[in-house]
């Protein structure tokens, strides 16, 4: 198998130490968004092991795994690009699969391959439907973006495992027990300014590049994030979707949402989700301080 032997590919997959782990909200959210793009009832983040396809996250699919030889992903994961099956009943490769002939009655499949930095394929982010479909270019692009976000989550997981290795360099981490503030912003300059401003105001502040990345950071910090300052519009899991995911946490943090363009619709949606603290860009340190104080007061 290109680009390397199966043993090397499996070694890469296992370096992520993710097979047979429990569900995690960040991955669940990416899979849900993938299904929404196509208006489909089924989607999964699938990792392809030696003889099985294992689902790190899934919607509309029973079970946590299936035989590799009986799956679409067993074909799709090594594809060089997006793997699309418009109608499985008309495709000789797949018309016999249990997913097609059985109760699931799958007709449409699309899978975005997940490739590690060493170019080894490890799985797919895939969507399935009982109706035949010809996806649009925009849908495929958006699915590819979510697949990229999935790989960033996996890389962060592997990096965290390396940091926990006693022979690895000591990671920067807040003192045990300290509350943490998380800045979520895709623009590097705004992210850096906001993070440093919060540190100047006495916060233990960390940052994330988008909503999916933020959910991983929150998981790593094990419930210590008590305040999130997030941008509204980000290419991967924007501020509104992040707010909805934060509400599912056992102890939801206080939230400040920042944007250079709040529309009336944005304000109404955020208000419906319980967000009272909006911060217009650009902002000063004093304006940031007031927004944070207000958010913390509202949250009590």
């Amino acid at each position: 198998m290109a680009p390397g032997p199966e043993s090397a590919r499996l070694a890469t997959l296992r370096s992520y130490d993710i097979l047979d782990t429990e569900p995690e909200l960040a991955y669940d959210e990416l899979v849900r968004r993938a299904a929404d793009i196509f208006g489909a009832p089924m989607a999964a983040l699938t990792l392809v092991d030696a003889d099985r396809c294992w689902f790190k996250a899934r919607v509309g699919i029973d079970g946590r795994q299936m035989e590799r030889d009986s799956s679409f992903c067993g074909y799709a994961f090594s594809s060089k690009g997006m793997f699309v099956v418009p109608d499985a009943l008309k495709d000789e490769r797949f018309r016999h699969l249990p997913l097609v002939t059985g109760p699931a009655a799958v007709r449409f499949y699309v899978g975005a391959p997940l490739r590690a930095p060493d170019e080894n394929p490890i799985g797919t982010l895939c969507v399935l439907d009982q109706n035949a479909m010809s996806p649009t270019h925009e849908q495929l692009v958006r699915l590819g973006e979510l697949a990229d976000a999935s790989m960033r989550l996996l890389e962060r997981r592997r990096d965290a495992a390396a940091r926990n290795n006693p022979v690895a360099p000591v990671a920067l981490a807040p003192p045990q027990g300290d509350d943490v503030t998380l800045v979520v912003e895709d623009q590097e300059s705004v992210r850096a300014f906001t993070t440093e401003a919060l540190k100047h105001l006495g916060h233990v502040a960390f940052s994330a590049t988008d909503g999916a990345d933020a959910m991983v950071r929150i998981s790593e910090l094990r419930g210590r994030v008590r305040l999130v300052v997030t941008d509204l519009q980000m290419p991967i899991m924007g501020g509104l979707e992040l707010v909805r995911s934060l509400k599912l946490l056992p102890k939801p943090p206080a939230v400040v949402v920042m944007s250079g363009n709040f529309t009336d619709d944005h304000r109404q949606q955020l208000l419906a989700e319980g967000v009272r603290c909006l911060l217009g860009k650009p902002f000063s340190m004093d304006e940031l301080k007031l927004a944070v104080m207000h958010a913390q007061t509202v949250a009590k």
Side-chain angles (χ1 to χ4, degrees):
M1 172 185 292
E6 176 72 351
S7 59
R9 189 194 73 79
L10 290 172
T12 296
L13 171 61
R14 286 165 186 159
S15 71
Y16 290 94
D17 194 26
I18 194 168
L19 291 172
D20 299 308
T21 57
E22 293 299 314
E24 296 176 58
L25 189 59
Y27 298 96
D28 293 343
E29 180 67 17
L30 287 171
V31 167
R32 184 191 63 77
R33 291 192 64 199
D36 288 347
I37 288 171
F38 294 87
M42 295 174 280
L45 195 154
T46 307
L47 298 169
V48 181
D49 203 356
D51 57 4
R52 62 172 177 157
C53 291
W54 179 78
F55 307 129
K56 173 59 181 173
R58 70 198 192 282
V59 294
I61 297 175
D62 294 332
R64 295 295 303 274
Q65 63 185 40
M66 64 173 52
E67 292 183 5
R68 177 171 165 177
D69 292 342
S70 298
S71 70
F72 291 92
C73 295
Y75 286 82
F77 83 104
S78 59
S79 173
K80 291 185 177 180
M82 206 69 65
F83 191 87
V84 182
V85 182
D87 188 344
L89 278 180
K90 297 180 179 179
D91 194 313
E92 292 293 336
R93 297 170 296 176
F94 306 115
R95 62 189 309 171
H96 66 283
L97 294 183
L99 279 173
V100 178
T101 61
V106 170
R107 298 293 177 266
F108 169 74
Y109 172 92
V110 58
L114 304 176
R115 286 189 176 271
D118 64 5
E119 289 301 311
N120 273 312
I122 61 171
T124 68
L125 179 62
C126 63
V127 177
L128 308 91
D129 201 315
Q130 290 96 347
N131 299 307
M133 188 186 309
S134 294
T136 66
H137 175 72
E138 181 183 0
Q139 287 174 320
L140 296 178
V141 168
R142 291 176 65 193
L143 182 63
E145 291 173 345
L146 292 180
D148 291 342
S150 300
M151 280 309 308
R152 290 201 298 272
L153 295 185
L154 290 166
E155 285 299 309
R156 285 287 300 276
R157 181 188 188 91
R158 186 161 65 171
D159 289 346
R163 290 198 301 267
N164 289 331
N165 187 328
V167 302
V170 177
L172 292 175
Q176 195 67 31
D178 277 8
D179 288 345
V180 174
T181 296
L182 186 64
V183 176
V184 190
E185 168 63 66
D186 59 320
Q187 293 186 23
E188 183 176 0
S189 59
V190 179
R191 184 170 66 247
F193 169 78
T194 308
T195 304
E196 290 306 311
L198 286 164
K199 289 179 179 178
H200 182 78
L201 293 171
H203 292 252
V204 178
F206 284 76
S207 65
T209 57
D210 53 53
D213 189 26
M215 295 307 296
V216 174
R217 292 295 272 160
I218 289 169
S219 177
E220 292 172 348
L221 291 164
R222 300 183 182 279
R224 296 160 66 192
V225 176
R226 306 310 307 143
L227 171 68
V228 172
V229 180
T230 180
D231 189 23
L232 176 62
Q233 296 174 318
M234 295 177 287
I236 302 295
M237 194 175 174
L240 183 60
E241 291 168 304
L242 175 58
V243 166
R244 289 170 176 158
S245 294
L246 294 174
K247 289 174 65 177
L248 300 176
L249 296 175
K251 294 182 179 180
V255 177
V256 174
V257 176
M258 52 186 176
S259 176
N261 182 28
F262 284 113
T263 66
D264 288 341
D265 189 42
H266 290 150
R267 295 176 188 278
Q268 290 300 319
Q269 289 178 317
L270 290 167
L271 186 63
E273 298 299 332
V275 177
R276 302 291 187 272
C277 304
L278 307 183
L279 181 61
K281 296 180 185 177
F283 51 84
S284 67
M285 188 177 296
D286 285 342
E287 289 171 325
L288 175 62
K289 180 179 180 179
L290 288 173
V292 166
M293 291 174 62
H294 185 202
Q296 291 173 324
T297 300
V298 169
K300 289 181 179 178

